Amino acid sequence: QPPAERMGLPALSPDARCSCDDEGGQHLEAYVSTIAIARRCAGEQADFELVASRWQSDERARKCVEDAARLIGQAAVSVVAVYDPEVIVVTGRFAACGKAALKPIEDALSGVRLMQSNQPEILVDGPGDLGEDGWEWVGVQGAGRLAIERNTSAEEPPGT
């Protein structure tokens, strides 16, 4: 069963396909990429910037963004359970929806507290902050921010 059906997220297309033409509908990109969100909301000629600008006032756009965020949240729970990151960065065009769009992700991660001592911080790195191809540099920027924070704090980080 594709994730949309398994999770009861009706705004996710049951026939979604990833850019690699995945037949089974199992790739996250097929459901939560900004292209997929825009197509579900407005059809083939969709523009994600338009969806992002009206997702809080338009019911269909809101449902598409929130269902995608719920699925991202479920994927994030798996990542947190395995890797226990301190920070999760949401970047790219999805970040144009702002921090409010991340509520379903935060809700999904709130259950992780039972397993981990700390819930990871969710940062929104909006479009333009890292440039057009900012997503390629998120890891580098995140590592840099973490290094600066750890080297300028008064306390030694655990495990050093």
Side-chain angles (χ1 to χ4, degrees):
Q1 237 185 356
E5 293 174 25
R6 261 195 328 267
M7 296 180 65
L9 301 172
L12 299 181
S13 303
D15 59 347
R17 295 190 85 152
C18 165
S19 62
C20 75
D21 284 330
D22 167 44
E23 293 289 328
Q26 299 299 312
H27 295 174
L28 196 60
E29 176 189 345
Y31 301 97
V32 301
S33 71
T34 54
I35 292 169
I37 294 168
R39 282 185 182 151
R40 277 192 310 278
C41 188
E44 285 299 316
Q45 300 302 319
D47 175 16
F48 184 77
E49 281 69 26
L50 181 62
V51 174
S53 70
R54 66 180 195 191
W55 80 272
Q56 292 185 25
S57 60
D58 179 271
E59 182 64 24
R60 177 77 183 143
R62 183 187 63 75
K63 187 70 176 145
C64 289
V65 168
E66 286 180 352
D67 278 2
R70 280 187 190 88
L71 191 54
I72 292 170
Q74 292 305 310
V77 166
S78 297
V79 170
V80 168
V82 173
Y83 296 105
D84 192 21
E86 293 178 18
V87 177
I88 294 175
V89 179
V90 177
T91 189
R93 295 190 310 155
F94 189 80
C97 292
K99 186 92 169 141
L102 304 181
K103 177 105 175 68
I105 299 171
E106 292 169 343
D107 290 347
L109 289 171
S110 67
V112 176
R113 288 185 184 172
L114 300 173
M115 298 183 292
Q116 315 293 44
S117 58
N118 294 312
Q119 181 178 355
E121 179 182 3
I122 299 176
L123 297 177
V124 178
D125 202 355
D129 292 355
L130 296 175
E132 174 109 4
D133 296 321
W135 62 271
E136 295 174 353
W137 295 98
V138 167
V140 174
Q141 183 173 348
R145 286 182 182 178
L146 187 60
I148 290 168
E149 178 184 304
R150 287 193 172 172
N151 288 316
T152 58
S153 69
E155 297 179 25
E156 278 293 311
T160 58

